[in-house]
Amino acid sequence: MNNNTRPKSLQQELKVRITLLVIIPLICSALYFSFNNYQQALELAQKDVERHADSIALDLKNEFIKQAYSFSSFSNDPVFGEIAINILYSQYAFKKLNDIVEENDVIDAAFISDGSEFIIEGYPLATLKLSDPAILNFAKKIILENDKTLNPKLIYLDKLPAGMTIKSHGALFIAFPLRKQLPSLIQPFKTTAVLYLMLAPELILKAPHLSDYANINININNNLFYQKKDSTDQPILQASRPVLLKDQDGITLDISVKHLKSFYTQKIYHSTLITLVVIVAI
């Protein structure tokens, strides 16, 4: 009885050892190649996030240029150029501002300032309460410089008066100098005021590929302006890019694009698990 049991026991032990001798190297090899594939996937994923960040930054830059060009003709509008020195044009200017806001989805508000304590005209009426030093000082600066070239600038305010609702953290404006035509060849124009157009947050959303990522932060002057974020604490890949520069555009604007690592590595996890199951089953 004991003699029959010992050979069986020895045979089983030998079988287990041979099986382990085969399976362990296979498992180690599978884990090694899976780890290499994981590292390569992360490198490619990071490059992909960076490429998309570059694309979004370029799209946003082009969108701001497009908006500035679309409304630049208002700088030479004869009524807007006169409103700061002739109150008789007030009603017409108000209607014009109303039309700008109502006919353009990317504009939430429009108003005119000559740097004085009070806004000259604006729509909606809540804009008349604006008295931020950034608005007033910029208007004074533009009027004083009286530059021959039209260079729209961007202005950012982190707070707005009651009655002006926004869907982002703060408000972003494009500022256009308003010019009155003069009967002079030496000085054919005179800057009299500044037109401010408040951009709707939807302008940011128009950029292609923006919704492809779980997390996106848009910062203006180191303040969070817009955030698209999924509620998750999982590991992420990240890339940041500058879009606008203060010296050139009036503000600094940069984007931070983030994406879940699992978006790129989930298939590797699944293939590794299947490989290990197959090895053990054999």
Side-chain angles (χ1 to χ4, degrees):
M1 187 75 176
N2 292 335
N3 291 336
N4 293 334
T5 303
R6 287 187 61 188
K8 288 183 180 180
S9 176
L10 182 61
Q11 184 179 6
Q12 290 176 352
E13 183 178 351
L14 184 61
K15 183 178 180 181
V16 169
R17 290 187 178 184
I18 293 175
T19 302
L20 291 176
L21 189 63
V22 174
I23 288 179
I24 290 177
L26 288 176
I27 292 177
C28 291
S29 297
L31 292 175
Y32 173 77
F33 286 114
S34 296
F35 178 76
N36 282 344
N37 288 337
Y38 176 81
Q39 293 296 327
Q40 291 177 4
L42 286 183
E43 292 177 5
L44 294 175
Q46 182 63 40
K47 291 180 180 179
D48 184 60
V49 175
E50 291 176 358
R51 281 195 298 267
H52 277 83
D54 289 334
S55 177
I56 293 172
L58 181 60
D59 289 333
L60 285 176
K61 179 72 173 179
N62 290 337
E63 188 65 33
F64 285 120
I65 294 174
K66 173 186 172 184
Q67 297 305 325
Y69 178 79
S70 298
F71 299 106
S72 60
S73 61
F74 290 124
S75 288
N76 294 316
D77 186 286
V79 173
F80 283 162
E82 289 278 357
I83 185 65
I85 55 179
N86 193 338
I87 197 172
L88 294 177
Y89 290 99
S90 180
Q91 186 174 357
Y92 180 86
F94 177 79
K95 183 181 183 304
K96 194 89 170 180
L97 295 173
N98 177 85
D99 292 342
I100 292 174
V101 176
E102 296 299 331
E103 295 174 5
N104 296 279
D105 293 336
V106 297
I107 304 299
D108 275 346
F111 63 92
I112 297 173
S113 171
D114 62 353
S116 60
E117 184 179 354
F118 302 102
I119 299 299
I120 296 175
E121 198 58 81
Y123 181 85
L125 294 177
T127 56
L128 300 178
K129 300 178 183 179
L130 277 166
S131 58
D132 193 287
I135 294 291
L136 306 182
N137 293 336
F138 181 78
K140 290 178 183 178
K141 177 176 178 291
I142 294 300
I143 294 171
L144 184 63
E145 290 176 351
N146 195 33
D147 200 339
K148 294 181 180 180
T149 59
L150 296 175
N151 295 314
K153 295 291 186 179
L154 290 161
I155 304 292
Y156 171 76
L157 299 181
D158 56 357
K159 294 180 181 179
L160 289 176
M164 293 185 67
T165 57
I166 53 176
K167 301 176 183 178
S168 57
H169 303 269
L172 183 61
F173 298 87
I174 301 183
F176 299 89
L178 299 178
R179 306 193 300 187
K180 171 183 168 60
Q181 190 169 1
L182 301 176
S184 171
L185 295 177
I186 300 175
Q187 188 178 354
F189 297 99
K190 177 185 177 182
T191 303
T192 58
V194 175
L195 170 66
Y196 293 92
L197 302 180
M198 188 171 85
L199 298 174
E202 287 75 11
L203 171 68
I204 303 298
L205 301 177
K206 289 174 64 177
H209 314 302
L210 199 59
S211 60
D212 291 346
Y213 286 86
N215 292 322
I216 296 175
N217 289 350
I218 297 179
N219 300 307
I220 298 179
N221 297 341
N222 297 322
N223 295 305
L224 180 64
F225 175 70
Y226 170 78
Q227 185 176 50
K228 177 183 178 294
K229 184 176 181 180
D230 288 345
S231 56
T232 178
D233 295 326
Q234 298 182 36
I236 58 173
L237 299 169
Q238 177 177 342
S240 298
R241 292 293 184 272
V243 180
L244 302 174
L245 302 175
K246 190 173 183 62
D247 292 340
Q248 299 176 6
D249 307 294
I251 62 169
T252 57
L253 186 149
D254 58 83
I255 61 167
S256 175
V257 180
K258 305 174 185 178
H259 199 278
L260 294 175
K261 283 186 179 180
S262 59
F263 181 82
Y264 300 95
T265 59
Q266 191 171 15
K267 291 183 179 179
I268 295 177
Y269 289 141
H270 289 167
S271 61
T272 301
L273 180 60
I274 292 172
T275 300
L276 292 176
V277 171
V278 170
I279 290 174
V280 173
I282 292 176

